[in-house]
Amino acid sequence: MSGFIHRTTELSIPAKGAWLTALLSHIPDAKALLICFAAAPIARTDSREFVFSEVFRKAGYATLLVDGLTAYEEKRDPDARFDVPKLTERLSQVIEWAQHQPQLGRLGLAISANGTCGAAAIKAAAATDPQPFALVCRAGRMDLAGAAPLRRNRVPLLAIAGGTEDPTREPAAHAYQLLESEKSWLEIERASERFIEPGTVDEAARASMQWVERWRPATLDLASNG
């Protein structure tokens, strides 16, 4: 357990003609960095994603919550969240930005993505060097990544789906079958697509923490203790 208290900072990250709203929580001896990426607004302290990422902060991780779309884009075009190429490019630019920050660039990286951003995470991970050590897709439209990127993925991936009220579950299940990487599937039956039901985000967060810790390289422990 870290002896430091997380410092939370509101940021704007440049992404080719747009400024993405972000929320960074960081400590000097962070074990790794978790990027949470979604098309919906999540980069605020009252969001479900902030609650989700709290389990990582308690475990000594730095977290970066990023809105994949600007407020203008989200209001102007309801289909913008399905623009996987744009979301992929933006996530790649966020990762590049983090790699060039003195306090973040040395950290190993894990990614948690929701909805259509699950597809963006799979595609961005393949283009990242070094690759993330773990991915989490919650209510994720992984199918929108395409069959070839799914088969090529080599990053351990946890897919979390809701129950019968989650319309993303079936397409995600089909995409999951195409993955040849290390993978795990979790259904939270009482959860809908948005995971607004009491306790569902907490359950997803605990499972995600276990998955990410399972794949976090031991060399990161050596680096943080050195």
Side-chain angles (χ1 to χ4, degrees):
M1 182 66 66
S2 171
F4 295 96
I5 297 175
H6 280 76
R7 178 180 179 181
T8 298
T9 307
E10 296 180 356
L11 302 169
S12 292
I13 298 178
K16 278 197 177 178
W19 289 90
L20 305 181
T21 301
L23 191 67
L24 173 66
S25 295
H26 181 261
I27 48 176
D29 61 347
K31 293 162 64 173
L33 171 65
L34 175 75
I35 293 180
C36 297
F37 189 70
I42 62 169
R44 57 180 193 262
T45 56
D46 62 348
S47 71
R48 284 188 298 278
E49 224 52 37
F50 190 82
V51 174
F52 173 91
S53 59
E54 176 65 12
V55 69
F56 287 87
R57 288 187 290 276
K58 287 181 178 178
Y61 281 66
T63 63
L64 180 64
L65 280 60
V66 184
D67 298 347
L69 298 175
T70 66
Y72 174 77
E73 288 170 332
E74 188 190 13
K75 291 178 181 177
R76 181 179 65 90
D77 182 6
D79 293 327
R81 65 184 58 219
F82 293 98
D83 191 341
V84 173
K86 174 187 283 188
L87 293 170
T88 300
E89 182 178 43
R90 288 185 173 178
L91 177 54
S92 295
Q93 290 166 345
V94 168
I95 293 170
E96 183 178 0
W97 175 88
Q99 290 174 332
H100 286 86
Q101 303 307 305
Q103 74 274 34
L104 303 178
R106 66 176 180 81
L107 299 177
L109 173 65
I111 298 175
S112 172
N114 299 347
T116 54
C117 288
I122 290 169
K123 299 185 76 170
T128 299
D129 185 23
Q131 285 192 322
F133 63 84
L135 295 176
V136 175
C137 294
R138 191 174 84 238
R141 289 297 307 274
M142 300 183 296
D143 55 299
L144 296 178
L150 287 164
R151 291 193 177 99
R152 287 196 300 264
N153 177 63
R154 293 296 177 263
V155 182
L157 187 150
L158 171 64
I160 304 177
T164 56
E165 298 302 313
D166 178 4
T168 71
R169 183 177 65 168
E170 185 173 342
H174 289 305
Y176 180 82
Q177 297 304 317
L178 296 176
L179 291 168
E180 298 177 3
S181 61
E182 296 285 349
K183 61 183 180 179
S184 183
W185 176 269
L186 172 64
E187 287 188 16
I188 300 177
E189 288 296 334
R190 65 186 186 282
S192 61
E193 177 184 7
R194 296 176 60 199
F195 279 71
I196 59 176
E197 294 74 18
T200 55
V201 166
D202 302 282
E203 185 175 344
R206 289 191 297 269
S208 300
M209 180 78 250
Q210 292 171 2
W211 181 255
V212 170
E213 276 289 277
R214 175 181 171 183
W215 297 104
R216 186 171 61 88
T219 52
L220 295 183
D221 284 323
L222 297 176
S224 63
N225 292 330

